[in-house]
Amino acid sequence: MKTLIIYAHPDTGGHCAEILNNVIASLKEIETDIVLLNLYKMKYDPLLHEKEHYTRGNYTISKQNKEIQKQITNADKLIFIYPVWWNSMPAIMKGFIDRVFTSKFAFEFVNGYPKGLLKGRKAAVFITSGANNFMSCLFMGKRAAKIMKKDILQYCGIKTKVFQYGGALNFDDSSKQKIEKLVKKGLSWLY
Ligand SMILES: Cc1cc2nc3c(=O)[nH]c(=O)nc-3n(C[C@H](O)[C@H](O)[C@H](O)COP(=O)(O)O)c2cc1C
């Protein structure tokens, strides 16, 4: 069993970092090979370049992104961890998806209909937000969660569930306890 973790946060402390630490500690107890892509630490280039612009017929994929696509192909579980920024995701995560989840790798069109090519995989998405979960639902229609789940991962055929830590304002001991519970819940769904 192989697990690929994609982490997008510039900080080494705080809610997302705590989620990452919890996930890694818990995965050590599960028989799974782990690969961590820490996008900020890698200084991942989020810019989709002209030669990669597949809707214009340009299908070049960088050596780094080919390697990442291979890691996705080999993984049966994916874990995404990032904060909600502007009801969406950090730009570095969006750029990662633009450049890695490419046409003919992650999806294709058959008779005009999109077909996901990454079936057979499951993804747990851990997001944190300043707004609490009730507000995210009432005023935002869970937009941040839906973008990743429905518009991106399920579009590519990946079975997905989002685990949101709302009200991520002050990081303290009670946040640590709540995060531990959330990670447990997420991983028991994933494995
Ligand atoms: C650029 C930026 C945009 C943000 N946009 C939102 C938002 O749209 N909705 C929200 O609930 N919180 C928003 N926040 C708050 C973050 O989601 C919150 O600070 C983060 O999830 C806390 O996790 P952390 O301790 O790992 O940073 C934003 C924060 C930043 C820095």
Side-chain angles (χ1 to χ4, degrees):
M1 194 158 52
K2 282 197 176 7
T3 301
L4 182 64
I5 306 171
I6 299 127
Y7 179 73
H9 200 301
D11 293 0
T12 49
H15 299 84
C16 285
E18 183 70 12
I19 292 175
L20 177 66
N21 292 338
N22 259 267
V23 163
I24 290 176
S26 306
L27 289 186
K28 285 190 178 146
E29 293 164 18
I30 297 172
E31 274 194 32
T32 181
D33 289 347
I34 310 170
V35 176
L36 168 64
L37 299 177
N38 186 332
L39 300 183
Y40 275 93
K41 214 169 175 184
M42 291 159 65
K43 296 197 189 320
Y44 182 80
D45 172 13
L47 302 181
L48 187 135
H49 301 271
E50 187 174 3
K51 61 185 179 209
E52 302 171 342
H53 190 194
Y54 53 78
T55 48
R56 297 264 300 151
N58 302 331
Y59 285 95
T60 301
I61 295 168
S62 72
K63 200 172 157 225
Q64 181 187 39
N65 286 333
K66 271 190 193 153
E67 184 53 37
I68 293 171
Q69 288 184 340
K70 214 183 280 170
Q71 285 164 341
I72 293 173
T73 301
N74 292 338
D76 35 20
K77 315 282 183 199
L78 303 173
I79 297 174
F80 291 82
I81 305 167
Y82 58 89
V84 171
W85 283 359
W86 292 108
N87 264 319
S88 182
M89 61 193 79
I92 201 167
M93 179 65 95
K94 177 62 169 47
F96 172 85
I97 288 158
D98 291 343
R99 297 184 70 212
V100 171
F101 285 68
T102 53
S103 166
K104 295 188 180 11
F105 168 71
F107 66 91
E108 65 180 349
F109 282 92
V110 179
N111 301 324
Y113 290 96
K115 179 183 167 203
L117 297 177
L118 297 176
K119 291 196 170 77
R121 290 172 188 77
K122 267 177 109 176
V125 178
F126 292 96
I127 57 176
T128 63
S129 60
N132 64 40
N133 288 4
F134 178 71
M135 293 296 179
S136 293
C137 187
L138 189 67
F139 294 114
M140 310 299 172
K142 293 190 180 172
R143 208 142 57 225
K146 283 180 184 165
I147 288 171
M148 191 55 139
K149 178 177 169 165
K150 294 188 184 248
D151 303 344
I152 300 173
L153 298 177
Q154 288 190 172
Y155 184 84
C156 297
I158 302 171
K159 192 171 180 192
T160 303
K161 196 158 180 175
V162 177
F163 299 88
Q164 181 160 352
Y165 183 104
L169 300 171
N170 303 308
F171 180 69
D172 54 23
D173 282 346
S174 89
S175 338
K176 288 184 187 176
Q177 285 173 11
K178 286 185 207 152
I179 284 170
E180 202 180 321
K181 266 193 189 161
L182 188 74
V183 168
K184 212 172 253 176
K185 192 173 160 194
L187 296 185
S188 64
W189 173 80
L190 189 62
Y191 294 92

